[in-house]
Amino acid sequence: MPLTTHREYFRERLNPRLTNPIRMGRNNHPCSANARWRKFTFSRKDGDHNGGFQQTFEAQYNEAVDHFITLKLNGFVRTTVKNIGFEDTTKTFEFNKEYLMCHLPQEEVDGWFWVRLDDGSCTHLKNPLVEFSPETTQPSYVVNIPNISGSLQVIDIELSDGQELISTVALDDALCDTLSDITEEGDAPVHGKLDDGTYVLFDPRLELQENTVASPESDGGGLIKTLTGDVTKCANVPRTFLNEDSCVLSYSATACGSSTAPDLQIDLNAQNLEKLHELTGQYVYGLLGLPVVDKFGEKLENPCTPGLRSRWEIKAAGECTATALGTNTNASLVELLFESSDSNPFIRDINFPASGFTCESSDYISGIAEVEIIIGNQCFKRVHPEHMSVFDFTYWALDHTHPGNMVAMMDGESNPIKKWRDVNASAFLIFPSFPDAGSDVPPHPLERWITHGDKFPKLGRFGDMTLFVDLPNEMRTDEVAEYFGDTSGSSGSAVVTCGSPGEVANDPTLGKYFIAVHEKGTDWGLDQQKGDAFFNIALRAQDQLRQRVAFALSQILVVVDKAIGVEGDHTEAFVAYHDILVRNAFGNYRDILKQASYNPLMAENLSFLQSKSTAHMWEHQQKHAFADENFAREIMQLFSTGLYELNKDGSHKVDENGELINAYTNDEIMSFARLWTGFDYQQTRGNMEDNTWFGNRVDPMRIEASWRDKFPKTDMTGGYIGDGYPLCVDLPDKMWLRRGARYRLLGSKYTPELMEDHPSFKNDLTMKHFVLEAGSKLKEALCNADEVGNCQYAMTVTLESNLLCTGKECDADTARVVDAGGELYYEYISPACVEQAFYRNAKKVIFKDRMKDSSCANPLLPYASEACCSVADVVAYRNPDYIYDQERVMFSTAGSRCEAMGKQLCDFNYINDLDDHKKGYHWTSDSCKIQVKVDSVGQVALVYKPNSYNHLHPHIDPNNRNFFKVYWDGDYPRNEIDGPDGNNCGNGVCEALETGGCLCDTNVFESRVFSRMPTSVDEVLSKLTIGAYDTLAYDDGTYSDSVTENDVTAYFKAGEEFTAETIFEVTDKNRRSFRFKNSMESVRVQGDSSLSFRNPLSFMSVLNTESTAGKAAYETDAALDHYLYHDNTAPFLALRMIQRMVSSNPSPRYVQAVADAFTSGQYMDIGSGIYGDMGAMTAAVILEPQARDEALDNDPFDGQFVEQVLQITRLSRGLEITPSDTVKLVYFDHLKDKVGQAPYEYDTVFSFFLPEYTPDGTTKIGQATLVAPEVVALDAPKTVALINGMFSMVKYGLSRCYGGFNSNWGSCTENDDFSNSYAHLTHEMAWDQPEAGEVHASAVVSELSLLLTAGRLSNTNFDIVKNAYLDKLPLAGHAAAHRMAVQLLLTTPEFHTTQTTIPSGLARPEPAEPVSSGVPYKAIVMVMLSGGADSFNMLVPHTCTVAKDMYQEYNEVRLDVALPKNDLIELNSVSNQVCEKFGVHPRYENVAAMFNSGDLSWFTNTGVLDKETNKYEYWKDTVTQLFAHNWMQQAAQKADPMKDAFGTGILGRIRDAATNQGRSVGAFSIDWSSAATSGKPGVNPSAVILNRNGVTKFNEKPSSDDMLITIKKLNEDVTPESGAFSDLWSDHLTTALATNERLYNTLSVKTVQTEFPNEHLSRQLEMVAKMIDSRGERGADADVFFSSKGGFDTHMNTLVNTDRLFGELDAAYGAFRQELEAKGIWDKVTLITVSDFARTLNPNGNAGVDHAWGGNYLIMGGSVKGGQIHGEYPDNLTDEGDRMLTRGRAIPTTGWEVVFRATAEWFGCDPADLPEILPNMETFTREDYWIPASNVFNM
């Protein structure tokens, strides 16, 4: 079956007009085959381009001599006409006058085009036919277009009624060779003359190239790049795992390589800052004026503070006066400044060491800040540590950010941020610490910079070099890359060119179906194109099962389109992502996981794009930020393992207490988050849709190694990522010549791709290469000569056997890039191996020179170069015979090389006679100590301590915060100040640190594990963790003996038995082969061997230069394998796939069968036999008995609801939908808004439906505690919209009529004429009159039943539909009867579910009209802030004078997500909190006003609590799955953590209690169903779901008067044996139609007096206000409402996103209050906000925040006793706080029960009912835990 990929489908049909080349591609040539021509004069490209190329129209006419009028555009002849004038005859048309084109022309003869008049208005003329005759002016260029054998054809007839042509053959006209290869905007047009003498106009179109994986573009797009003057970008695809085996070597002179922009270096000087502004529009400045001591006396820390980085400006000695310092102080600072290797010409940074340097105590006491030191002829003046740092201040230039901007604008003055560049043309911005006299700018204190400085991306220091990859995204543009020297366009003698999946050429013969977004685009409204491609493939493609599986997978591996920066009109990136699922639908899930994880849309969607390690953020930005946790959480929860441990049959595992067992904890999330750092866009390229200026959203991401976390990561099963991999130190000597060594062809490029060389090497002609000598076996293997001796260089070469070394090869410990001859280079790819964090005999290495980084390195690894000194000398040299630049050697080799020079390894100061870029890390003679820093929870950080050093790299110095989890064998050292269980840091064996934690010396111990043959494979897998390499790669005889017992093979070293070097080989249950070393290593705290842990492993090296992209890729693969092979993944995925394709509640046997197919890779005879085979899984899903046994159709609990997209495609495909003559495709518009589901349009990563969703207890499904995921979207508005839309399609074709699924109007009259629709259903069965009507009707209904219900229609419903058909047949004919039958079938339970029904013959009861009891009305409104609101930026400490400055602590913890204090809106004082005054977010104007006026209060540090707990016991005290969106949202809505009132929600239980008091209580959820409103079965009707936009009338134009009655008959009551899903559908439909009618009649007359903003929550609250206003008509004594607003999952750019979100919330709250006050009901309504959780106080590396726990929530209403803050605001926001978990996750002090208990009492519930309302209430026994209702409300 042919594979239909969505990207190919889109690209082949992508044929838009293109008048000039663009980054994406070129336009075609008029004489090329498939050139396009048109008969109308003007196209949209000739219109107004919104500030682009200005186009002028002129009608030239001289009445005295001209018989025709000549029409010109931009001075060139377009056509001639006899008459022309404005259609508006009141306006005068002038000949021989140039008019500017206005708007975009209609593309057809006699369509309109517009010109601009002198008064600025636009008016239209008719678009004329292209026409010339001998007596008219002639066009500039005319080619003859013969129609050879039908080569000239009409095309796109649907778009222009035959006015467009295509010439399918190339033209042979003498003029062709004179025409330019490329058409440019403003060029003279080319006309064509047809055989009949008529003329046409060349209509240039986009030309895309074939550039697939199997067939890469031969020169990488270099020729087109050259022809277009570099406008079109190189199309060469970066080499990735998707294409690396299919890349080719191009010798074309125009070949261009993939971009090298990430390695570019940019000098931060004045000229380049100006250029960056010019190219990007960003305001980039060096910063001056920051004080050392500000005007208010605040000053910087003493420069002698250990660990402090201080900055010094370099001046001439004569400009300074030396500061009087103590002798030691002066000597220390002079030595540090003088010996510094900082090469910046303007400033010098030094770090004051923790040891070896001292200052006078008197200088410490005096707190010196301002210091000037003279050394020789230079002065070093102490300055602010950000003096002359370069920042992007663009954010601060916006109107709403810097407070002075708006003032300046109102005063007519220059923007105070922009003026430095725009007015002063300066590269510097001066911070006004001490403004000039007379200035109206107040002095800015140091605190102002501390508060705001984190908002500005830092580029580096003025005078330094920065990397392109480290620029802010807004500056990483093609233009910047090209200006600063990106060599992607350079030609080379041998360039590797690669392709991309689905990157086919467009096919001009298909015509224009789709349009690409590009920088010259004139089209909009393209957001539906990806959905159009989806539906038309679903309707027409042959590979329907593949497409169905891909759609199911797309609801598991979800990308939320609104989370993507290009979600609007872009198509190609989205269809390329979907193709991952299409291509691999029958492939392997491992490939899906990897390709999805590397996809930039997924990274943007789940915010790990450009996530950076804690170490990187501190080193480069001086921010304590953490890795983004979003993807790390969701790849486990949603894509692989799920939340809880599972048995193979999908049932939950439980512990000894019967509790569910977590599959992972937050520790694992944080660990994996560190693994998902370093991912970045590939650089943009050509031949694909891209209009973003930065970032490539199609090709798999690259890994920026410097961003990757370097430290060990724990997994989900008690091990480390890297377990089972060999240690790098155990690899055979000269691994690069051994069996299994891999080499990657680089072409003529000699710098590596998976390792990093200094950028200077790219242009270094003196670079010393590793040249393979003649006779080299490696050279021979790389050559791969054919039978005549010609080398056949392969893209990747893997050595199949060990090779002998030749010449210098024998002296090399390792290789990087080798010169294979013929100007071709190969990069050596070392095998996947791991390093242990702790090792023996560590040696100090120095980076370049002594004043730069010192670190420790393993002497057994080739990680540094030699540095050789003469005796007693500190000037070092490299051995002149070193083999190649950047060569690394082992410590022993370095020593040998020094000895060969007559020198020795030394603790050197600097290296002589070597260019700076050729230096790296160099071995020294000094030893190193590896210490461990242990925090309060037992996590550790590495601390390197060489015997002597000047500067340690920040990520391993004593102050580093790079903690990771280890597995302690028992107790661990705990500092007394860290908590109640301190043990004096291991009874004094470790140093107790003043800041908390313990610093310990360590020893490493290795031991043998087995002294005998293991008894089983499981024993090996459970006891061994260190992998081993292939024994065949070692020298012959190294492993000489082997024995196999119990399915275990042991390999022994020659002459040995069981030792630590013995290797065991086993195969696990998933058929994976492993080799393990018979060894284990433990790290022991020196002084107490009982304090020990297993030596942790990591792929990444702690040494910066050895932490490479290749190692990061290995680490990523290991993590993906861990997810894939986890015991949960097979049953988890099996359940999800069955739910999406067959049944909501599969049996355990069914789940296990599908899981078995996944793990075995085989089902029946289908599958590859490889674990993870999706073909085998799919076969099991659809072929297992539960999927195909017809008897199970009668099982009342088997089956599912059919999702809306499948219903629409079933109807469309089954009844043969056909596009109209005026369109090319079937277009469904805005389905998501109408029916709740559409391809690509997900609201959240949880897809459209919640897999665990259980309907309320009034349903059979709910009573059986089964799930029905699709029911979450089953509500009255969507049901009415779905049926209305399908009815409209049946009656009027695809149009807008009466709720139709297209946005264009049709005739809206039911008849057989569908000419005005966009498509219509063509299926019919004509009535042959002699045939009996009943026989005909039976045949029709039988076929329709087969097509629409798979033949499940019950006999009763069959007869009802048949009778309706017969009634209609004689009155209106068979077509009308057919439409009637189809419509009725579309309402049946058999269509909407996969079940049969057994009607009882009784009418289904409709909901009774409620009757008021007369009790005074009250309403509760719950507002869910979905995604986890950052509520610690809603309520912020402001004035705190009693204990400490909590705002300062807030600012220090929140860093770049902190709100400036001056921006906060102050609240009235409170007396019960840590601060007397708090502030709210600056957008919370209405919230602040309500608080201060007494209508609003806050509940602080509130959230889900199973019981009161603390940071040491919370994990034991909490059953709720913390930090997961769906579970925490459910927990907030249910307030029932122990599930004592299973299936009910908090509002539902409050409603039930009030109903039991005799009150009439309504329950409503806006837009979506809610767990909060569910009550106990039998007490109340189910909650009604309303659309925020109002109520739509059902079936406004029925096909018969009794149609509604018939629909109700089709959905009558059923017997107990009937299907529960079909019963739920019929019950829902009956209730929905009755409720819909009542509400339509009620609400259609209700209006509001307040203008609500046109925003989601505001519209919901407007609907709530209308419902409250209709309480009398509805007979309601009380109501409960649920509404929600999403978007709060702000893992990226928190401040920007919350500024918008909080502003929208505030506006909604304000309008709601205003409306209810106007209606006099404000005092009867209480609104409460809830959220999944709050966000971490400490940000991640993307200026975002992650999932936390306790938060701040408001309660408002006229009865609220406002102006209060209930609960306990945390008194310590740091991680040391009693209520704080890591990264500022607050443990709540107030549970939701407190909020809802007070609210229930205000609502009037009987206190005796509180235990029913709050099932977990008795857990909270402390009396003062509860807040009396009278304290919260005016009772």
Side-chain angles (χ1 to χ4, degrees), residues 1067-1135:
T1067 300
D1068 73 357
K1069 63 183 178 181
N1070 296 319
R1071 303 174 303 288
R1072 289 189 297 169
S1073 293
F1074 291 93
R1075 299 184 192 92
F1076 289 102
K1077 184 180 179 183
N1078 186 30
S1079 169
M1080 66 175 292
E1081 286 198 9
S1082 62
V1083 180
R1084 299 178 185 175
V1085 171
Q1086 193 168 307
D1088 188 346
S1089 61
S1090 69
L1091 302 174
S1092 64
F1093 54 86
R1094 185 186 139 200
N1095 201 351
L1097 305 167
S1098 177
F1099 285 91
M1100 306 304 291
S1101 174
V1102 177
L1103 204 61
N1104 280 347
T1105 55
E1106 308 312 305
S1107 192
T1108 66
K1111 292 179 179 180
Y1114 284 141
E1115 184 176 57
T1116 304
D1117 280 338
L1120 292 170
D1121 285 338
H1122 184 68
Y1123 301 138
L1124 179 73
Y1125 288 102
H1126 192 284
D1127 286 344
N1128 265 30
T1129 300
F1132 175 84
L1133 191 61
L1135 177 59

Side-chain angles (χ1 to χ4, degrees), residues 1425-1436 1450 1453-1459 1479-1481 1484 1498 1525 1685 1687-1699 1701-1702 1705 1730-1740 1743-1753 1769 1783-1786:
L1425 309 180
S1426 299
D1430 190 18
S1431 53
F1432 278 93
N1433 267 11
M1434 292 180 175
L1435 185 67
V1436 181
Y1450 157 90
V1453 171
R1454 300 233 74 184
L1455 298 171
D1456 53 348
V1457 296
L1459 296 171
V1480 293
H1481 192 279
Y1484 262 16
W1498 288 91
H1525 289 293
K1685 178 177 176 62
F1688 291 92
D1689 196 20
T1690 52
H1691 290 275
M1692 295 180 72
N1693 301 321
T1694 289
L1695 285 181
V1696 174
N1697 289 318
T1698 53
D1699 190 72
L1701 290 165
F1702 293 179
L1705 287 177
V1730 299
S1731 190
D1732 334 15
F1733 36 65
R1735 315 296 297 186
T1736 55
L1737 296 179
N1738 196 271
N1740 59 41
V1745 281
D1746 299 312
H1747 301 186
W1749 195 353
N1752 305 307
Y1753 303 99
Y1769 198 93
R1783 293 192 55 204
R1785 292 178 168 95

Side-chain angles (χ1 to χ4, degrees), residues 1670-1747:
S1670 70
R1671 61 195 181 280
E1673 293 90 330
R1674 294 186 290 107
D1677 295 323
D1679 287 309
V1680 294
F1681 296 93
F1682 178 88
S1683 61
S1684 64
K1685 178 177 176 62
F1688 291 92
D1689 196 20
T1690 52
H1691 290 275
M1692 295 180 72
N1693 301 321
T1694 289
L1695 285 181
V1696 174
N1697 289 318
T1698 53
D1699 190 72
R1700 171 182 56 82
L1701 290 165
F1702 293 179
E1704 291 169 350
L1705 287 177
D1706 189 72
Y1709 298 152
F1712 186 62
R1713 176 201 187 185
Q1714 183 179 341
E1715 176 63 17
L1716 295 189
E1717 283 185 329
K1719 296 289 176 66
I1721 194 69
W1722 176 236
D1723 63 332
K1724 305 300 183 185
V1725 178
T1726 292
L1727 182 149
I1728 303 168
T1729 62
V1730 299
S1731 190
D1732 334 15
F1733 36 65
R1735 315 296 297 186
T1736 55
L1737 296 179
N1738 196 271
N1740 59 41
N1742 285 329
V1745 281
D1746 299 312
H1747 301 186

Side-chain angles (χ1 to χ4, degrees), residues 1401-1478:
L1402 301 175
R1404 191 174 290 271
E1406 295 188 8
E1409 294 266 5
V1411 178
S1412 172
S1413 68
V1415 175
Y1417 179 82
K1418 287 187 177 180
I1420 302 171
V1421 183
M1422 177 187 284
V1423 176
M1424 166 62 75
L1425 309 180
S1426 299
D1430 190 18
S1431 53
F1432 278 93
N1433 267 11
M1434 292 180 175
L1435 185 67
V1436 181
H1438 188 278
T1439 304
C1440 319
T1441 60
V1442 177
K1444 60 180 174 181
D1445 187 345
M1446 285 295 295
Y1447 176 81
Q1448 180 180 348
E1449 184 170 280
Y1450 157 90
N1451 193 58
E1452 290 171 352
V1453 171
R1454 300 233 74 184
L1455 298 171
D1456 53 348
V1457 296
L1459 296 171
K1461 188 172 185 178
N1462 291 340
D1463 289 355
L1464 299 175
I1465 304 175
E1466 289 186 49
L1467 301 180
N1468 288 346
S1469 297
V1470 294
S1471 59
N1472 63 329
Q1473 298 295 334
V1474 64
C1475 297
E1476 54 266 39
K1477 272 200 173 185
F1478 286 78

Side-chain angles (χ1 to χ4, degrees), residues 1740-1773:
N1740 59 41
N1742 285 329
V1745 281
D1746 299 312
H1747 301 186
W1749 195 353
N1752 305 307
Y1753 303 99
L1754 60 82
I1755 181 169
M1756 63 188 232
S1759 293
V1760 170
K1761 189 177 288 185
Q1764 300 185 85
I1765 300 176
H1766 303 292
E1768 299 175 31
Y1769 198 93
D1771 59 4
N1772 188 337
L1773 301 178

Side-chain angles (χ1 to χ4, degrees), residues 3-19:
L3 169 69
T4 308
T5 76
H6 293 232
R7 189 182 182 199
E8 289 182 13
Y9 187 89
F10 169 70
R11 286 177 63 89
E12 286 172 345
R13 293 161 178 78
L14 187 62
N15 287 293
R17 290 185 172 86
L18 189 67
T19 55

